[in-house]
Amino acid sequence: MQKQFDQLRASELFCPRCRTSRPVRETLLLVVPGGEIHSYRCNICGEHLGTREVKGRPGNIG
Ligand SMILES: [Zn+2]
């Protein structure tokens, strides 16, 4: 059986400070209309590695 990868979720990202791939910690950064902005930080050094937009639940907008 092959491993399945969650296409929208990164479990590891390249950290420029550590100069290698590190496990990331996803935290809520900002709430925007229609969704949320989550930020990824290096779990080792805390370096900010990127953001991801999370869409709100359909049918629950307003
Ligand atoms: Zn790091």
Side-chain angles (χ1 to χ4, degrees), residues 24-57:
V24 294
R25 183 171 35 186
E26 183 179 356
T27 57
L28 175 64
L29 182 68
L30 195 66
V31 177
V32 295
E36 298 171 342
I37 306 294
H38 288 198
S39 90
Y40 285 113
R41 286 183 180 275
C42 174
N43 208 10
I44 310 299
C45 73
E47 178 81 355
H48 182 246
L49 301 181
T51 58
R52 177 168 77 97
E53 187 176 345
V54 182
K55 301 287 185 187
R57 280 168 290 180

Side-chain angles (χ1 to χ4, degrees), residues 13-22 42 45-49:
L13 287 174
F14 180 82
C15 175
R17 191 181 288 183
C18 299
R19 294 172 181 249
T20 186
S21 287
R22 290 299 199 192
C42 174
C45 73
E47 178 81 355
H48 182 246
L49 301 181

